[in-house]
Amino acid sequence: MSSSRRLFFALTLPDALQQQVIRWRAEAFTPEAGRPVAAANLHLTLAFLGDVSAQKETALKKLAGRIIQPGFSMILDDLGHWPRPGVVWLGTRRAPRGALQLAELLRSQAARSGCYQSPMPFHPHITLLRSATQPVAVPPATPGWTFSADSFTLYQSVFENGRTRYHPLEQWPLAHQDTP
């Protein structure tokens, strides 16, 4: 029996924003567009880690706990479709520096710990639909919600009973920014 777990670091969407996204998605896309991601699984991935041993998980948690990074806000004002992976996503046109720095820290720590990291640049997004391999009519306008990040979380991806669920394992706060 393997003691590894499938893990990733992510930003958690507040419940109210999750519900707004779910309602908007139901109005904006036809059922044929793709398979909707469950509300509880909506998140913004910072670093995908893959299958991680218990020892490596402990080391990554320790490294994550050392990160001192200010919180940040982003406007969810971009929408797109990646046909090859079959993903429709909601993201930001201008990623805040804090999001880029946090993702880079987590991705570089993961790479140094032996977790493969995609060479593709970090593109902050929330996956809305999967299995969207056919052309999708993307709405011309996005809601433009503001999403404030004040923590990041280590999640485990578990596939059971034909469904994937993301379980939070540990969360770390982002430092509060002083407003002038």
Side-chain angles (χ1 to χ4, degrees):
M1 182 173 152
S2 171
S3 63
S4 69
R5 303 199 288 183
R6 193 167 182 81
L7 305 177
F8 61 93
F9 286 108
L11 299 175
T12 304
L13 296 179
D15 291 341
L17 180 56
Q18 271 184 0
Q19 293 310 309
Q20 286 177 309
V21 169
I22 294 301
R23 281 191 300 275
W24 173 78
R25 178 181 66 191
E27 295 169 4
F29 296 97
T30 64
E32 301 80 37
R35 184 173 37 85
V37 172
N41 284 358
L42 292 175
H43 67 278
L44 193 149
T45 300
L46 295 165
F48 179 73
L49 306 173
D51 292 322
V52 176
S53 69
Q55 182 179 2
K56 195 179 291 186
E57 178 183 336
T58 299
L60 287 164
K61 285 179 177 179
K62 184 181 264 189
L63 290 168
R66 293 182 185 151
I67 292 175
I68 299 172
Q69 170 84 25
F72 51 87
S73 292
M74 69 177 75
I75 299 172
L76 299 174
D77 62 355
D78 198 13
L79 191 62
H81 175 221
W82 293 323
R84 183 175 289 209
V87 167
V88 173
W89 52 268
L90 175 65
T92 183
R93 288 191 178 118
R94 299 188 69 179
R97 193 170 81 197
L100 299 174
Q101 289 173 334
L102 181 58
E104 179 55 32
L105 280 169
L106 291 168
R107 288 173 68 159
S108 62
Q109 288 176 352
R112 284 194 298 276
S113 297
C115 299
Y116 171 80
Q117 295 299 294
S118 169
M120 298 296 290
F122 174 64
H123 183 268
H125 70 279
I126 299 157
T127 299
L128 300 175
L129 303 170
R130 294 195 180 281
S131 303
T133 54
Q134 301 302 315
V136 174
V138 175
T142 57
W145 293 300
T146 298
F147 169 49
S148 296
D150 59 5
S151 64
F152 66 99
T153 304
L154 178 65
Y155 282 91
Q156 178 183 9
S157 176
V158 178
F159 184 76
E160 55 192 7
N161 301 323
R163 300 175 89 160
T164 300
R165 293 286 179 227
Y166 302 142
H167 302 288
L169 300 177
E170 194 162 338
Q171 187 174 63
W172 295 270
L174 295 171
H176 292 286
Q177 286 186 312
D178 296 326
T179 44

